[in-house]
Amino acid sequence: MTLMAGNIVEGTVVNITNFGAFIEVEGKTGLVHISEVADSYVKDIKEHLKEQDKVKVKVISIDDNGKISLSIKQANTNVPKRSARPAEIDWKSSEKKKSAANNFEDIMSKFLKDSEERMQDVKKHQEFKGKNSKRV
């Protein structure tokens, strides 16, 4: 079987680096980048793989120079999918959020009104000071 993008094949881990693992598949060596090892964040690849491990990998791409990009996480097709069913909604808590939003809007409108009144007072005070200082 020739290697082609999209194929899922079995390979052997031949070398591990900080950035990924080199896997030998069908007599050629490809790289599984550390981001393609597992679905979760991988800080230390050595916690997931060791040399001579047999792994199932998916061929992501083969470039013009013959470099093979592989993925372990994409090869694991038996990973349970998320349910297509919508999440349960707690309508009571939704109503609380709406009332909290209304309270917030009331608070903000009161703040805006108070703020505008204060600004008018400040402007009047500055105008009064300005008129008085011209007389001197």
Side-chain angles (χ1 to χ4, degrees):
M1 172 194 230
T2 59
L3 287 178
M4 291 176 49
N7 288 356
I8 296 177
V9 294
E10 190 170 298
T12 306
V13 178
V14 291
N15 191 16
I16 297 177
T17 65
N18 317 3
F19 56 86
F22 290 94
I23 313 291
E24 185 177 312
V25 286
E26 298 183 13
K28 297 183 179 181
T29 303
L31 174 68
V32 174
H33 187 266
I34 193 166
S35 64
E36 292 293 328
V37 171
D39 287 329
S40 59
Y41 175 74
V42 177
K43 185 174 183 176
D44 183 10
I45 194 168
K46 292 179 182 175
E47 292 177 1
H48 294 267
L49 297 171
K50 60 181 190 258
E51 288 187 22
Q52 302 306 314
D53 277 353
K54 299 282 185 197
V55 291
K56 195 177 355 173
V57 294
K58 180 176 181 179
V59 180
I60 298 173
S61 67
I62 302 173
D63 72 4
D64 296 336
N65 299 329
K67 292 182 182 176
I68 304 169
S69 295
L70 304 169
S71 172
I72 294 173
K73 73 179 182 181
Q74 290 182 33
N76 292 331
T77 55
N78 59 352
V79 175
K81 302 286 182 197
R82 289 187 177 186
S83 173
R85 200 172 139 226
E88 293 294 323
I89 298 173
D90 182 6
W91 293 106
K92 292 178 183 175
S93 68
S94 175
E95 290 171 8
K96 289 178 187 174
K97 289 179 185 175
K98 285 181 184 175
S99 67
N102 290 340
N103 287 344
F104 176 75
E105 288 180 13
D106 292 341
I107 292 168
M108 288 305 295
S109 64
K110 184 178 184 292
F111 171 77
L112 182 60
K113 182 181 172 189
D114 292 345
S115 179
E116 287 174 353
E117 289 174 359
R118 288 186 191 130
M119 284 303 293
Q120 288 175 352
D121 289 345
V122 169
K123 287 180 183 177
K124 286 179 185 176
H125 188 268
Q126 286 177 343
E127 288 173 5
F128 181 74
K129 269 187 152 180
K131 289 179 183 175
N132 286 341
S133 64
K134 290 180 185 175
R135 293 182 187 167
V136 176

